Amino acid sequence: MELMFIKRMKTLRQSFYFMKNDSSDEDKTVRYKIYIEKLHQILQQQQRERDCVDFRILCLFCPKTLTGNRFTISEHFYNEHSFSLGHPDNLVYTVEFIEDLRSKMLRSECLYCDKTFRDYKTLREHMRKKLHKKLNPSNAEFDKYYVVNYREFGKNWTSLDKDDANCDSKNGSDDNWSDWEELPPDLKCLICPCVYINLKDFKHHLSSQHFIQFDALIKDLSYYQQVKLIKLHTILHFK
């Protein structure tokens, strides 16, 4: 009994861990070092896949075996099945990614909403009707397969996208464009080279100089006929 107690105490001692505050400088240094090492691995893997021209994997949606590089595989998915994995140069661990998607489909799980169905046929019909033959960008399960998620320490693509949007918002604020005045489009006469910027003046010119009532001219014309009139006017004007 005493021997069992001693063994139990040794096991408990081996299970003790010391956790550091994640806001401490030492913790941040360790985390950043791990991030750099991981980033280096990811970039090396990405380069290997970029150079690889003998990928060989079964398609997710048809019996065809896909061969070649990542671009030919992505091209097949997009052209034949209207399915996109994203830009090939943003992918990493591509074969693992496709097999992960295949496993989900074999479990009759939707790739977009993660809902599980009774069989593959029902899943396929669901993805077709609901337009779910695509990946959910909010699903963090797939983050590891996209290089953009390793771009900056402690951030994934969604937080980076928000940062870019905020940056664009600041750079493109109304204050920066306060002196911009957009000019109205030129109104060219249908008959002569005269140009006006005011619709009222344009109509008065047509009426007084060419005896054309513009409103009456377009009143009974359909949208398509109005477009044809504009095209004809453009051709005649620049002929």
Side-chain angles (χ1 to χ4, degrees):
M1 187 71 179
E2 184 178 350
L3 182 60
M4 290 178 62
F5 177 76
I6 293 172
K7 288 183 177 180
R8 177 62 178 166
M9 289 301 294
K10 287 182 177 179
T11 304
L12 288 174
R13 287 195 200 100
Q14 292 172 356
S15 302
F16 288 156
Y17 297 92
F18 294 94
M19 303 295 292
K20 290 185 176 292
N21 187 337
D22 58 7
S23 63
S24 68
D25 292 339
E26 186 178 355
D27 180 81
K28 289 179 180 178
T29 301
V30 173
R31 289 174 183 270
Y32 187 74
K33 183 179 180 181
I34 295 173
Y35 158 74
I36 292 298
E37 291 175 354
K38 182 65 176 178
L39 178 62
H40 185 64
Q41 294 173 7
I42 292 297
L43 294 178
Q44 285 185 324
Q45 177 65 24
Q46 183 194 33
Q47 187 60 49
R48 283 194 292 268
E49 293 186 14
R50 184 180 289 138
D51 296 337
C52 182
V53 293
D54 56 358
F55 279 101
R56 187 178 183 84
I57 192 167
L58 188 65
C59 178
L60 291 171
F61 307 103
C62 71
K64 185 174 182 179
T65 299
L66 308 179
T67 58
N69 56 30
R70 292 180 306 178
F71 282 91
T72 56
I73 293 173
S74 296
E75 199 173 53
H76 171 84
F77 280 137
Y78 186 78
N79 292 337
E80 300 299 326
H81 307 291
S82 301
F83 178 76
S84 175
L85 291 172
H87 195 285
D89 260 343
N90 189 30
L91 297 176
V92 68
Y93 304 121
T94 309
V95 172
E96 181 185 339
F97 187 15
I98 295 173
E99 292 301 337
D100 193 7
L101 297 177
R102 192 190 316 281
S103 296
K104 286 178 70 70
M105 295 182 68
L106 289 175
R107 296 193 301 267
S108 299
E109 291 181 21
C110 177
L111 298 181
Y112 185 81
C113 68
D114 291 328
K115 186 176 180 181
T116 302
F117 296 86
R118 64 175 180 268
D119 53 41
Y120 178 76
K121 183 178 179 181
T122 309
L123 167 67
R124 188 171 60 183
E125 189 67 11
H126 160 81
M127 292 175 69
R128 183 184 67 82
K129 286 184 176 180
K130 297 293 185 179
L131 302 178
H132 280 191
K133 192 191 277 189
K134 56 185 177 182
L135 301 179
N136 188 345
S138 301
N139 191 342
E141 180 183 352
F142 304 132
D143 283 359
K144 64 175 287 189
Y145 301 117
Y146 292 96
V147 177
V148 67
N149 292 306
Y150 303 92
R151 199 178 91 187
E152 194 169 325
F153 176 53
K155 295 184 178 182
N156 63 3
W157 75 270
T158 51
S159 52
L160 289 169
D161 199 42
K162 287 179 182 178
D163 289 347
D164 291 343
N166 291 335
C167 182
D168 290 342
S169 177
K170 290 177 181 178
N171 293 335
S173 63
D174 291 340
D175 292 340
N176 293 337
W177 296 89
S178 58
D179 59 342
W180 176 268
E181 293 182 6
E182 186 173 355
L183 296 175
D186 292 336
L187 298 170
K188 297 181 177 66
C189 177
L190 301 175
I191 308 298
C192 69
C194 292
V195 178
Y196 295 88
I197 61 173
N198 183 283
L199 180 59
K200 185 178 179 180
D201 293 340
F202 171 72
K203 290 181 179 180
H204 181 265
H205 167 80
L206 286 177
S207 175
S208 61
Q209 299 298 319
H210 306 294
F211 308 102
I212 296 175
Q213 301 300 321
F214 183 76
D215 291 334
L217 177 66
I218 66 171
K219 180 180 178 182
D220 297 322
L221 295 181
S222 65
Y223 175 78
Y224 177 71
Q225 289 171 327
Q226 290 182 34
V227 171
K228 286 183 69 175
L229 177 64
I230 294 171
K231 285 185 175 180
L232 178 61
H233 159 244
T234 304
I235 293 172
L236 293 175
H237 185 75
F238 291 101
K239 193 170 181 181

